Amino acid sequence: MEYRRLGRSGLKLSEISLGSWLTYGSRVEADAAKACIRKAYELGINHFDCAVVYGARPHQAEEVVGEALREFPRHTYTVTSKVFWQVGPSTYDQGLSRKHLIERVEMSLKAMKLDYIDIYYAHRYDPATDLEETLRAFDDLVAQGKILYYGFSQWTAAQFENAAAIVDKRNLRRPVASQPVYNMLDRYIEKEIMPICEREGIGQIVYSPLAQGVLTGKYKPGMPQPEGSRGADPKYGKFVQRYLSDDELLERIQQLRPIAERNGLTMAQLAIAWVLRRPEVTSALIGATRPEQVEENVKASGMKLSAEDLKEIDEILGQAE
């Protein structure tokens, strides 16, 4: 496993991180989740991602992840959570107000049974709360030692710009992490998000590098969805349907297989190596329901694709300039 610095922070994260979206606390039993987390740690993964809303109920994935990590020395890993989405009937059960942030951090710490969370994210932007209020709350939480760093997930370029201007003007602690979707099919962050974050010292910890499993090549045009796959799951497959309804795209993805094979990579490893080709990306978040998936995906760490490989990928996917 290779490691990269997160923006201008002092954190050095594994190039591959383990996430828990749509898996731990929901589709995957606790014992299987713990086996995946244990395997990830053994293979050098030191970054584990979670959120308040992950799991079948609020904080359930945090409980699973926190329990699994307790067998390891606390100083040897980083763990995250995220807050924003509605998790209850109260008007205070959502958003990025000071009240919700302060109270929800306490609930996350209790669920994980931790003294602090390494990175706490604003899971989305909250137009109903003044941005300065949110940033001051994050700043206070860092000062109190309840979180060490904070960041934003799926914010726009303008929202990053506004946040940077406020922390500079008010001399607040700066965000260190951005968590956007990024893969061969979703490249929007390259144009504005990456340059702004690089300028502001914010690192990218990207999710869905496999495009919900589509870039593994297991979904084939005109064929039934593989049994047990996310695409075949009526509850959790909604996030992948926009890809699966496009047979032309699925055919193009199959054309990537020779590139993977000549590099000695699986399709999944090719997709992760492609994401990690950008120095702005600190780490790629993977999901896993079995330890074997973790073992396969971590092999993408340190893999380099040639300029010819990258050009061919762009041509196949219709991304060539």
Side-chain angles (χ1 to χ4, degrees):
M1 178 64 65
E2 296 190 10
Y3 300 84
R4 298 184 182 187
R5 183 182 178 189
L6 178 63
R8 287 200 291 267
S9 78
L11 294 176
K12 290 194 72 174
L13 307 184
S14 49
E15 287 188 332
I16 313 293
S17 299
L18 186 63
S20 52
W21 181 44
L22 302 181
T23 50
Y24 308 149
S26 52
R27 293 178 66 221
V28 180
E29 296 296 329
D31 287 345
K34 292 172 187 175
C36 291
I37 291 170
R38 187 177 299 113
K39 177 58 68 175
Y41 186 88
E42 291 172 356
L43 294 172
I45 288 179
N46 71 353
H47 187 60
F48 300 86
D49 184 75
C50 204
V52 169
V53 294
Y54 293 171
R57 57 173 170 75
H59 299 288
Q60 187 170 7
E62 290 179 329
E63 293 170 1
V64 172
V65 171
E67 183 176 351
L69 289 173
R70 273 195 291 282
E71 64 182 89
F72 308 120
R74 180 65 182 93
H75 71 280
T76 62
Y77 64 85
T78 56
V79 65
T80 79
S81 194
K82 311 180 199 71
V83 61
F84 167 76
W85 297 109
Q86 187 166 359
V87 289
S90 169
T91 57
Y92 297 124
D93 283 330
Q94 61 184 309
L96 299 178
S97 68
R98 168 179 286 274
K99 179 176 175 62
H100 188 220
L101 277 174
I102 299 297
E103 293 176 348
R104 196 55 60 175
V105 165
E106 295 290 353
M107 295 179 196
S108 291
L109 290 170
K110 182 178 179 180
M112 290 184 165
K113 295 183 180 178
L114 295 174
D115 294 326
Y116 64 91
I117 295 169
D118 295 279
I119 305 173
Y120 211 59
Y121 288 95
H123 209 160
R124 291 296 186 273
Y125 183 83
D126 183 7
T129 301
D130 184 78
L131 180 54
E132 184 170 336
E133 176 179 332
T134 297
L135 295 171
R136 284 189 177 278
F138 275 125
D139 186 79
D140 287 344
L141 287 169
V142 175
Q144 293 165 13
K146 294 177 179 177
I147 65 175
L148 302 187
Y149 305 90
Y150 71 96
F152 312 127
S153 179
Q154 287 292 80
W155 281 33
T156 67
Q159 290 159 358
F160 274 107
E161 292 270 20
N162 291 339
I166 290 171
V167 297
D168 284 345
K169 183 177 181 180
R170 302 303 186 194
N171 196 29
L172 303 176
R173 292 172 178 84
R174 304 179 66 81
V176 303
S178 164
Q179 189 177 121
V181 60
Y182 183 55
N183 54 60
M184 292 181 185
L185 308 179
D186 294 288
R187 308 183 181 194
Y188 74 97
I189 66 170
E190 293 179 353
K191 185 176 181 181
E192 293 184 321
I193 299 294
M194 280 184 171
I196 290 170
C197 288
E198 184 176 23
R199 184 191 73 204
E200 299 298 332
I202 298 171
Q204 306 293 326
I205 303 172
V206 303
Y207 73 91
S208 200
L210 306 182
Q212 299 293 307
V214 172
L215 290 170
T216 65
K218 64 184 174 184
Y219 300 106
K220 297 178 173 61
M223 299 291 289
Q225 311 307 342
E227 185 177 350
S229 69
R230 189 172 294 175
D233 190 315
K235 182 176 181 181
Y236 297 103
K238 61 183 179 179
F239 298 101
V240 75
Q241 291 305 319
R242 68 187 179 102
Y243 303 118
L244 301 186
S245 59
D246 188 342
D247 278 352
E248 180 184 354
L249 174 63
L250 297 180
E251 178 56 41
R252 287 174 181 264
I253 290 170
Q254 293 301 316
Q255 295 173 33
L256 298 174
R257 195 173 298 278
I259 303 175
E261 291 175 348
R262 70 175 180 243
N263 281 280
L265 303 172
T266 65
M267 291 279 279
Q269 292 163 357
L270 176 71
I272 296 170
W274 182 90
V275 164
L276 293 173
R277 83 200 190 286
R278 296 288 302 233
E280 300 94 335
V281 173
T282 300
S283 188
L285 279 163
I286 63 168
T289 58
R290 295 175 288 108
E292 295 79 14
Q293 293 172 319
V294 180
E295 287 187 282
E296 176 187 337
N297 290 337
V298 297
K299 293 175 183 176
S301 178
M303 292 292 181
K304 308 298 182 186
L305 300 176
S306 69
E308 292 75 16
D309 291 330
L310 298 175
K311 180 181 178 182
E312 188 173 349
I313 289 170
D314 287 349
E315 290 172 346
I316 289 172
L317 296 177
Q319 298 280 355
E321 295 183 356

Short mmCIF file of all heavy atoms in Angstrom, two decimals, residues 193-253:
data_model
loop_
_atom_site.label_atom_id
_atom_site.label_comp_id
_atom_site.label_asym_id
_atom_site.label_seq_id
_atom_site.Cartn_x
_atom_site.Cartn_y
_atom_site.Cartn_z
N ILE A 193 -13.43 21.96 -9.55
CA ILE A 193 -13.27 21.54 -8.15
C ILE A 193 -11.80 21.24 -7.83
O ILE A 193 -11.25 21.73 -6.84
CB ILE A 193 -14.13 20.31 -7.84
CG1 ILE A 193 -15.61 20.61 -8.05
CG2 ILE A 193 -13.86 19.81 -6.42
CD1 ILE A 193 -16.18 21.59 -7.10
N MET A 194 -11.16 20.45 -8.67
CA MET A 194 -9.76 20.10 -8.40
C MET A 194 -8.85 21.32 -8.34
O MET A 194 -8.05 21.45 -7.40
CB MET A 194 -9.26 19.09 -9.43
CG MET A 194 -9.68 17.66 -9.15
SD MET A 194 -8.94 16.51 -10.36
CE MET A 194 -9.38 14.93 -9.61
N PRO A 195 -8.91 22.25 -9.31
CA PRO A 195 -8.03 23.42 -9.24
C PRO A 195 -8.27 24.28 -8.00
O PRO A 195 -7.32 24.76 -7.36
CB PRO A 195 -8.36 24.18 -10.52
CG PRO A 195 -8.89 23.15 -11.46
CD PRO A 195 -9.63 22.19 -10.60
N ILE A 196 -9.55 24.50 -7.65
CA ILE A 196 -9.86 25.32 -6.48
C ILE A 196 -9.35 24.65 -5.21
O ILE A 196 -8.71 25.30 -4.35
CB ILE A 196 -11.37 25.57 -6.38
CG1 ILE A 196 -11.83 26.51 -7.50
CG2 ILE A 196 -11.74 26.15 -5.01
CD1 ILE A 196 -13.33 26.63 -7.62
N CYS A 197 -9.60 23.35 -5.08
CA CYS A 197 -9.17 22.65 -3.87
C CYS A 197 -7.65 22.57 -3.77
O CYS A 197 -7.09 22.71 -2.67
CB CYS A 197 -9.77 21.25 -3.86
SG CYS A 197 -11.55 21.22 -3.52
N GLU A 198 -6.97 22.38 -4.88
CA GLU A 198 -5.51 22.36 -4.85
C GLU A 198 -4.97 23.71 -4.39
O GLU A 198 -4.05 23.78 -3.57
CB GLU A 198 -4.95 22.02 -6.23
CG GLU A 198 -3.44 21.89 -6.23
CD GLU A 198 -2.90 21.44 -7.57
OE1 GLU A 198 -3.58 21.65 -8.60
OE2 GLU A 198 -1.77 20.91 -7.60
N ARG A 199 -5.56 24.78 -4.88
CA ARG A 199 -5.15 26.12 -4.46
C ARG A 199 -5.37 26.34 -2.97
O ARG A 199 -4.56 26.98 -2.30
CB ARG A 199 -5.94 27.16 -5.27
CG ARG A 199 -5.54 28.61 -5.00
CD ARG A 199 -6.56 29.55 -5.62
NE ARG A 199 -7.81 29.55 -4.87
CZ ARG A 199 -8.99 29.88 -5.39
NH1 ARG A 199 -9.10 30.20 -6.67
NH2 ARG A 199 -10.08 29.88 -4.64
N GLU A 200 -6.46 25.77 -2.43
CA GLU A 200 -6.82 26.00 -1.03
C GLU A 200 -6.26 24.93 -0.09
O GLU A 200 -6.53 24.96 1.10
CB GLU A 200 -8.35 26.05 -0.90
CG GLU A 200 -9.02 27.17 -1.68
CD GLU A 200 -8.58 28.55 -1.24
OE1 GLU A 200 -8.21 28.70 -0.05
OE2 GLU A 200 -8.61 29.48 -2.07
N GLY A 201 -5.50 23.98 -0.63
CA GLY A 201 -4.90 22.96 0.23
C GLY A 201 -5.86 21.88 0.67
O GLY A 201 -5.68 21.28 1.73
N ILE A 202 -6.87 21.61 -0.16
CA ILE A 202 -7.89 20.62 0.16
C ILE A 202 -7.67 19.37 -0.70
O ILE A 202 -7.60 19.47 -1.92
CB ILE A 202 -9.30 21.19 -0.09
CG1 ILE A 202 -9.55 22.40 0.82
CG2 ILE A 202 -10.38 20.12 0.13
CD1 ILE A 202 -10.82 23.16 0.49
N GLY A 203 -7.56 18.21 -0.07
CA GLY A 203 -7.33 16.98 -0.81
C GLY A 203 -8.64 16.29 -1.20
O GLY A 203 -9.67 16.49 -0.56
N GLN A 204 -8.57 15.47 -2.25
CA GLN A 204 -9.75 14.75 -2.73
C GLN A 204 -9.73 13.30 -2.24
O GLN A 204 -8.78 12.56 -2.51
CB GLN A 204 -9.77 14.74 -4.27
CG GLN A 204 -9.67 16.11 -4.92
CD GLN A 204 -10.89 16.97 -4.66
OE1 GLN A 204 -12.01 16.48 -4.56
NE2 GLN A 204 -10.67 18.28 -4.56
N ILE A 205 -10.77 12.92 -1.52
CA ILE A 205 -11.00 11.52 -1.16
C ILE A 205 -12.26 11.12 -1.92
O ILE A 205 -13.36 11.45 -1.51
CB ILE A 205 -11.18 11.34 0.35
CG1 ILE A 205 -9.96 11.89 1.11
CG2 ILE A 205 -11.41 9.87 0.70
CD1 ILE A 205 -10.14 11.93 2.61
N VAL A 206 -12.09 10.46 -3.04
CA VAL A 206 -13.19 10.30 -3.98
C VAL A 206 -13.93 8.99 -3.76
O VAL A 206 -13.35 7.98 -3.38
CB VAL A 206 -12.70 10.39 -5.44
CG1 VAL A 206 -11.99 11.71 -5.68
CG2 VAL A 206 -11.78 9.23 -5.80
N TYR A 207 -15.24 9.04 -4.00
CA TYR A 207 -16.03 7.82 -3.86
C TYR A 207 -16.57 7.37 -5.20
O TYR A 207 -16.56 8.10 -6.18
CB TYR A 207 -17.16 8.00 -2.84
CG TYR A 207 -18.34 8.85 -3.25
CD1 TYR A 207 -19.46 8.28 -3.85
CD2 TYR A 207 -18.37 10.22 -2.98
CE1 TYR A 207 -20.56 9.04 -4.21
CE2 TYR A 207 -19.47 10.99 -3.33
CZ TYR A 207 -20.56 10.39 -3.93
OH TYR A 207 -21.65 11.16 -4.29
N SER A 208 -17.03 6.13 -5.23
CA SER A 208 -17.55 5.47 -6.42
C SER A 208 -16.55 5.41 -7.57
O SER A 208 -16.89 5.68 -8.72
CB SER A 208 -18.84 6.16 -6.90
OG SER A 208 -19.60 5.32 -7.74
N PRO A 209 -15.30 5.02 -7.31
CA PRO A 209 -14.32 4.90 -8.40
C PRO A 209 -14.69 3.83 -9.41
O PRO A 209 -14.23 3.86 -10.55
CB PRO A 209 -13.01 4.56 -7.69
CG PRO A 209 -13.44 3.90 -6.41
CD PRO A 209 -14.70 4.62 -6.01
N LEU A 210 -15.55 2.89 -9.01
CA LEU A 210 -16.00 1.83 -9.91
C LEU A 210 -17.36 2.13 -10.51
O LEU A 210 -17.95 1.26 -11.18
CB LEU A 210 -16.04 0.48 -9.18
CG LEU A 210 -14.76 0.04 -8.47
CD1 LEU A 210 -14.95 -1.33 -7.83
CD2 LEU A 210 -13.59 0.02 -9.44
N ALA A 211 -17.87 3.36 -10.29
CA ALA A 211 -19.20 3.74 -10.80
C ALA A 211 -20.25 2.71 -10.37
O ALA A 211 -20.96 2.14 -11.19
CB ALA A 211 -19.19 3.92 -12.31
N GLN A 212 -20.32 2.48 -9.07
CA GLN A 212 -21.28 1.53 -8.50
C GLN A 212 -21.09 0.11 -9.04
O GLN A 212 -22.05 -0.65 -9.15
CB GLN A 212 -22.71 2.00 -8.76
CG GLN A 212 -23.06 3.34 -8.15
CD GLN A 212 -23.07 3.28 -6.64
OE1 GLN A 212 -23.73 2.44 -6.05
NE2 GLN A 212 -22.31 4.15 -6.00
N GLY A 213 -19.88 -0.23 -9.42
CA GLY A 213 -19.58 -1.56 -9.91
C GLY A 213 -19.67 -1.72 -11.41
O GLY A 213 -19.28 -2.75 -11.97
N VAL A 214 -20.16 -0.69 -12.11
CA VAL A 214 -20.32 -0.77 -13.56
C VAL A 214 -18.97 -0.95 -14.25
O VAL A 214 -18.86 -1.70 -15.24
CB VAL A 214 -21.05 0.48 -14.10
CG1 VAL A 214 -21.05 0.50 -15.62
CG2 VAL A 214 -22.48 0.51 -13.59
N LEU A 215 -17.93 -0.28 -13.75
CA LEU A 215 -16.62 -0.34 -14.40
C LEU A 215 -15.88 -1.65 -14.13
O LEU A 215 -14.79 -1.85 -14.67
CB LEU A 215 -15.78 0.86 -13.96
CG LEU A 215 -16.26 2.21 -14.52
CD1 LEU A 215 -15.53 3.37 -13.87
CD2 LEU A 215 -16.08 2.25 -16.04
N THR A 216 -16.47 -2.55 -13.35
CA THR A 216 -15.88 -3.88 -13.21
C THR A 216 -16.18 -4.74 -14.43
O THR A 216 -15.58 -5.80 -14.60
CB THR A 216 -16.42 -4.61 -11.97
OG1 THR A 216 -17.83 -4.87 -12.14
CG2 THR A 216 -16.20 -3.78 -10.71
N GLY A 217 -17.12 -4.29 -15.26
CA GLY A 217 -17.49 -5.05 -16.46
C GLY A 217 -18.47 -6.17 -16.22
O GLY A 217 -18.79 -6.93 -17.15
N LYS A 218 -18.98 -6.30 -15.00
CA LYS A 218 -19.89 -7.42 -14.71
C LYS A 218 -21.28 -7.21 -15.29
O LYS A 218 -22.04 -8.18 -15.44
CB LYS A 218 -19.97 -7.67 -13.21
CG LYS A 218 -20.58 -6.53 -12.39
CD LYS A 218 -20.51 -6.88 -10.91
CE LYS A 218 -20.98 -5.72 -10.03
NZ LYS A 218 -20.82 -6.05 -8.59
N TYR A 219 -21.62 -5.97 -15.61
CA TYR A 219 -22.91 -5.69 -16.22
C TYR A 219 -22.73 -5.64 -17.74
O TYR A 219 -22.03 -4.76 -18.25
CB TYR A 219 -23.49 -4.37 -15.71
CG TYR A 219 -23.71 -4.34 -14.22
CD1 TYR A 219 -22.86 -3.61 -13.37
CD2 TYR A 219 -24.76 -5.04 -13.64
CE1 TYR A 219 -23.06 -3.57 -12.01
CE2 TYR A 219 -24.97 -5.01 -12.27
CZ TYR A 219 -24.12 -4.28 -11.45
OH TYR A 219 -24.32 -4.25 -10.09
N LYS A 220 -23.36 -6.56 -18.43
CA LYS A 220 -23.17 -6.67 -19.88
C LYS A 220 -24.44 -6.27 -20.61
O LYS A 220 -25.56 -6.55 -20.15
CB LYS A 220 -22.75 -8.09 -20.25
CG LYS A 220 -21.40 -8.50 -19.64
CD LYS A 220 -21.03 -9.92 -20.00
CE LYS A 220 -19.62 -10.25 -19.51
NZ LYS A 220 -19.48 -10.14 -18.05
N PRO A 221 -24.30 -5.59 -21.76
CA PRO A 221 -25.47 -5.13 -22.51
C PRO A 221 -26.37 -6.29 -22.93
O PRO A 221 -25.89 -7.32 -23.41
CB PRO A 221 -24.87 -4.42 -23.72
CG PRO A 221 -23.48 -4.94 -23.84
CD PRO A 221 -23.05 -5.25 -22.46
N GLY A 222 -27.68 -6.11 -22.70
CA GLY A 222 -28.64 -7.12 -23.13
C GLY A 222 -28.70 -8.35 -22.26
O GLY A 222 -29.44 -9.29 -22.57
N MET A 223 -27.95 -8.36 -21.15
CA MET A 223 -27.90 -9.53 -20.27
C MET A 223 -28.57 -9.21 -18.93
O MET A 223 -28.58 -8.05 -18.49
CB MET A 223 -26.45 -9.96 -20.02
CG MET A 223 -25.70 -10.34 -21.28
SD MET A 223 -26.29 -11.88 -22.00
CE MET A 223 -25.68 -13.04 -20.78
N PRO A 224 -29.14 -10.22 -18.25
CA PRO A 224 -29.72 -9.99 -16.92
C PRO A 224 -28.65 -9.52 -15.93
O PRO A 224 -27.47 -9.83 -16.08
CB PRO A 224 -30.27 -11.37 -16.53
CG PRO A 224 -30.36 -12.14 -17.80
CD PRO A 224 -29.27 -11.62 -18.69
N GLN A 225 -29.07 -8.77 -14.93
CA GLN A 225 -28.13 -8.31 -13.91
C GLN A 225 -27.65 -9.51 -13.10
O GLN A 225 -28.43 -10.39 -12.74
CB GLN A 225 -28.79 -7.29 -12.97
CG GLN A 225 -29.54 -6.17 -13.67
CD GLN A 225 -28.69 -5.45 -14.71
OE1 GLN A 225 -27.47 -5.55 -14.70
NE2 GLN A 225 -29.34 -4.76 -15.62
N PRO A 226 -26.35 -9.60 -12.83
CA PRO A 226 -25.82 -10.74 -12.07
C PRO A 226 -26.51 -10.90 -10.72
O PRO A 226 -26.77 -9.91 -10.02
CB PRO A 226 -24.34 -10.37 -11.89
CG PRO A 226 -24.04 -9.42 -13.00
CD PRO A 226 -25.31 -8.63 -13.20
N GLU A 227 -26.80 -12.12 -10.35
CA GLU A 227 -27.46 -12.40 -9.08
C GLU A 227 -26.59 -11.93 -7.92
O GLU A 227 -25.39 -12.18 -7.88
CB GLU A 227 -27.73 -13.90 -8.95
CG GLU A 227 -28.54 -14.27 -7.71
CD GLU A 227 -28.86 -15.74 -7.65
OE1 GLU A 227 -28.62 -16.45 -8.67
OE2 GLU A 227 -29.32 -16.20 -6.59
N GLY A 228 -27.20 -11.24 -6.99
CA GLY A 228 -26.49 -10.74 -5.83
C GLY A 228 -25.79 -9.42 -6.04
O GLY A 228 -25.22 -8.85 -5.10
N SER A 229 -25.80 -8.88 -7.27
CA SER A 229 -25.15 -7.60 -7.55
C SER A 229 -26.04 -6.45 -7.09
O SER A 229 -27.24 -6.62 -6.87
CB SER A 229 -24.87 -7.46 -9.05
OG SER A 229 -26.08 -7.32 -9.78
N ARG A 230 -25.42 -5.28 -6.98
CA ARG A 230 -26.19 -4.11 -6.58
C ARG A 230 -27.26 -3.76 -7.62
O ARG A 230 -28.35 -3.33 -7.30
CB ARG A 230 -25.25 -2.92 -6.36
CG ARG A 230 -25.94 -1.70 -5.74
CD ARG A 230 -24.92 -0.63 -5.38
NE ARG A 230 -24.03 -1.09 -4.31
CZ ARG A 230 -23.00 -0.39 -3.88
NH1 ARG A 230 -22.70 0.76 -4.42
NH2 ARG A 230 -22.24 -0.85 -2.90
N GLY A 231 -26.94 -3.98 -8.89
CA GLY A 231 -27.89 -3.68 -9.95
C GLY A 231 -29.14 -4.54 -9.88
O GLY A 231 -30.20 -4.13 -10.36
N ALA A 232 -29.02 -5.74 -9.30
CA ALA A 232 -30.16 -6.64 -9.19
C ALA A 232 -30.95 -6.42 -7.90
O ALA A 232 -31.99 -7.06 -7.69
CB ALA A 232 -29.68 -8.09 -9.25
N ASP A 233 -30.47 -5.52 -7.06
CA ASP A 233 -31.12 -5.26 -5.77
C ASP A 233 -32.14 -4.15 -5.94
O ASP A 233 -31.78 -3.01 -6.23
CB ASP A 233 -30.06 -4.85 -4.74
CG ASP A 233 -30.60 -4.80 -3.32
OD1 ASP A 233 -31.71 -4.25 -3.13
OD2 ASP A 233 -29.91 -5.29 -2.41
N PRO A 234 -33.44 -4.44 -5.75
CA PRO A 234 -34.47 -3.41 -5.98
C PRO A 234 -34.38 -2.22 -5.02
O PRO A 234 -34.80 -1.12 -5.36
CB PRO A 234 -35.78 -4.18 -5.80
CG PRO A 234 -35.42 -5.36 -4.96
CD PRO A 234 -34.02 -5.72 -5.35
N LYS A 235 -33.80 -2.44 -3.84
CA LYS A 235 -33.70 -1.36 -2.86
C LYS A 235 -32.47 -0.51 -3.06
O LYS A 235 -32.53 0.72 -3.06
CB LYS A 235 -33.71 -1.94 -1.44
CG LYS A 235 -33.66 -0.87 -0.36
CD LYS A 235 -33.75 -1.49 1.03
CE LYS A 235 -33.73 -0.42 2.13
NZ LYS A 235 -33.79 -1.03 3.49
N TYR A 236 -31.31 -1.14 -3.27
CA TYR A 236 -30.05 -0.41 -3.33
C TYR A 236 -29.54 -0.20 -4.75
O TYR A 236 -28.53 0.46 -4.96
CB TYR A 236 -28.98 -1.14 -2.50
CG TYR A 236 -29.32 -1.20 -1.03
CD1 TYR A 236 -29.83 -2.38 -0.46
CD2 TYR A 236 -29.17 -0.09 -0.22
CE1 TYR A 236 -30.16 -2.44 0.89
CE2 TYR A 236 -29.50 -0.13 1.13
CZ TYR A 236 -29.99 -1.31 1.68
OH TYR A 236 -30.33 -1.36 3.01
N GLY A 237 -30.25 -0.75 -5.73
CA GLY A 237 -29.79 -0.63 -7.11
C GLY A 237 -30.17 0.65 -7.80
O GLY A 237 -29.76 0.89 -8.94
N LYS A 238 -30.93 1.52 -7.12
CA LYS A 238 -31.41 2.74 -7.78
C LYS A 238 -30.26 3.66 -8.18
O LYS A 238 -30.38 4.42 -9.14
CB LYS A 238 -32.38 3.48 -6.87
CG LYS A 238 -31.79 3.93 -5.54
CD LYS A 238 -32.85 4.60 -4.67
CE LYS A 238 -32.28 5.03 -3.33
NZ LYS A 238 -33.29 5.70 -2.47
N PHE A 239 -29.14 3.58 -7.46
CA PHE A 239 -28.03 4.49 -7.74
C PHE A 239 -27.26 4.08 -8.99
O PHE A 239 -26.48 4.87 -9.52
CB PHE A 239 -27.07 4.54 -6.54
CG PHE A 239 -27.71 5.08 -5.30
CD1 PHE A 239 -28.14 4.21 -4.29
CD2 PHE A 239 -27.89 6.44 -5.12
CE1 PHE A 239 -28.74 4.71 -3.14
CE2 PHE A 239 -28.49 6.94 -3.98
CZ PHE A 239 -28.92 6.07 -2.98
N VAL A 240 -27.45 2.86 -9.45
CA VAL A 240 -26.69 2.36 -10.59
C VAL A 240 -27.51 2.30 -11.87
O VAL A 240 -26.98 2.08 -12.95
CB VAL A 240 -26.10 0.97 -10.24
CG1 VAL A 240 -27.17 -0.11 -10.29
CG2 VAL A 240 -24.95 0.61 -11.15
N GLN A 241 -28.82 2.53 -11.76
CA GLN A 241 -29.70 2.33 -12.91
C GLN A 241 -29.41 3.28 -14.07
O GLN A 241 -29.61 2.93 -15.23
CB GLN A 241 -31.16 2.48 -12.47
CG GLN A 241 -31.65 1.36 -11.57
CD GLN A 241 -31.45 -0.02 -12.18
OE1 GLN A 241 -31.66 -0.23 -13.37
NE2 GLN A 241 -31.02 -0.97 -11.35
N ARG A 242 -28.91 4.47 -13.78
CA ARG A 242 -28.64 5.41 -14.88
C ARG A 242 -27.56 4.89 -15.82
O ARG A 242 -27.50 5.26 -16.99
CB ARG A 242 -28.26 6.78 -14.33
CG ARG A 242 -26.93 6.87 -13.60
CD ARG A 242 -26.77 8.25 -12.98
NE ARG A 242 -25.54 8.40 -12.23
CZ ARG A 242 -24.48 9.03 -12.70
NH1 ARG A 242 -24.48 9.55 -13.93
NH2 ARG A 242 -23.38 9.15 -11.96
N TYR A 243 -26.68 4.04 -15.30
CA TYR A 243 -25.67 3.42 -16.16
C TYR A 243 -26.24 2.18 -16.86
O TYR A 243 -25.99 1.95 -18.04
CB TYR A 243 -24.46 2.97 -15.33
CG TYR A 243 -23.78 4.05 -14.54
CD1 TYR A 243 -23.71 3.98 -13.15
CD2 TYR A 243 -23.15 5.12 -15.16
CE1 TYR A 243 -23.05 4.95 -12.41
CE2 TYR A 243 -22.49 6.10 -14.43
CZ TYR A 243 -22.45 6.01 -13.06
OH TYR A 243 -21.80 6.96 -12.33
N LEU A 244 -27.00 1.38 -16.14
CA LEU A 244 -27.45 0.09 -16.65
C LEU A 244 -28.48 0.22 -17.77
O LEU A 244 -28.68 -0.72 -18.53
CB LEU A 244 -28.02 -0.75 -15.52
CG LEU A 244 -27.06 -1.05 -14.36
CD1 LEU A 244 -27.69 -2.01 -13.37
CD2 LEU A 244 -25.73 -1.59 -14.87
N SER A 245 -29.12 1.36 -17.85
CA SER A 245 -30.12 1.56 -18.91
C SER A 245 -29.48 1.97 -20.24
O SER A 245 -30.18 2.14 -21.24
CB SER A 245 -31.13 2.63 -18.48
OG SER A 245 -30.46 3.87 -18.23
N ASP A 246 -28.16 2.11 -20.26
CA ASP A 246 -27.43 2.57 -21.46
C ASP A 246 -26.59 1.42 -22.02
O ASP A 246 -25.45 1.22 -21.62
CB ASP A 246 -26.55 3.77 -21.09
CG ASP A 246 -25.92 4.44 -22.31
OD1 ASP A 246 -25.87 3.81 -23.37
OD2 ASP A 246 -25.46 5.59 -22.16
N ASP A 247 -27.17 0.67 -22.94
CA ASP A 247 -26.45 -0.49 -23.50
C ASP A 247 -25.20 -0.08 -24.26
O ASP A 247 -24.20 -0.80 -24.27
CB ASP A 247 -27.38 -1.28 -24.43
CG ASP A 247 -28.29 -2.22 -23.66
OD1 ASP A 247 -28.09 -2.37 -22.43
OD2 ASP A 247 -29.19 -2.81 -24.28
N GLU A 248 -25.23 1.08 -24.91
CA GLU A 248 -24.05 1.54 -25.64
C GLU A 248 -22.89 1.78 -24.68
O GLU A 248 -21.74 1.42 -24.96
CB GLU A 248 -24.35 2.82 -26.42
CG GLU A 248 -23.15 3.33 -27.21
CD GLU A 248 -23.40 4.66 -27.90
OE1 GLU A 248 -24.54 5.13 -27.87
OE2 GLU A 248 -22.43 5.23 -28.44
N LEU A 249 -23.19 2.38 -23.53
CA LEU A 249 -22.15 2.61 -22.52
C LEU A 249 -21.61 1.28 -22.00
O LEU A 249 -20.39 1.11 -21.86
CB LEU A 249 -22.72 3.42 -21.36
CG LEU A 249 -21.79 3.61 -20.16
CD1 LEU A 249 -20.54 4.39 -20.56
CD2 LEU A 249 -22.51 4.30 -19.02
N LEU A 250 -22.48 0.34 -21.72
CA LEU A 250 -22.04 -0.96 -21.22
C LEU A 250 -21.15 -1.67 -22.23
O LEU A 250 -20.19 -2.35 -21.85
CB LEU A 250 -23.24 -1.83 -20.86
CG LEU A 250 -24.14 -1.31 -19.73
CD1 LEU A 250 -25.30 -2.28 -19.49
CD2 LEU A 250 -23.35 -1.08 -18.45
N GLU A 251 -21.43 -1.50 -23.51
CA GLU A 251 -20.59 -2.09 -24.55
C GLU A 251 -19.22 -1.42 -24.59
O GLU A 251 -18.19 -2.08 -24.74
CB GLU A 251 -21.28 -1.96 -25.90
CG GLU A 251 -20.46 -2.51 -27.07
CD GLU A 251 -20.07 -3.96 -26.89
OE1 GLU A 251 -20.90 -4.76 -26.43
OE2 GLU A 251 -18.90 -4.30 -27.20
N ARG A 252 -19.20 -0.10 -24.44
CA ARG A 252 -17.92 0.62 -24.42
C ARG A 252 -17.06 0.15 -23.24
O ARG A 252 -15.84 -0.01 -23.37
CB ARG A 252 -18.16 2.13 -24.31
CG ARG A 252 -18.69 2.78 -25.58
CD ARG A 252 -19.03 4.25 -25.30
NE ARG A 252 -19.56 4.94 -26.46
CZ ARG A 252 -18.84 5.68 -27.29
NH1 ARG A 252 -17.53 5.84 -27.07
NH2 ARG A 252 -19.37 6.29 -28.33
N ILE A 253 -17.70 -0.07 -22.11
CA ILE A 253 -16.95 -0.52 -20.93
C ILE A 253 -16.31 -1.88 -21.18
O ILE A 253 -15.16 -2.12 -20.77
CB ILE A 253 -17.87 -0.54 -19.69
CG1 ILE A 253 -18.23 0.90 -19.29
CG2 ILE A 253 -17.21 -1.27 -18.53
CD1 ILE A 253 -19.30 1.00 -18.24
#
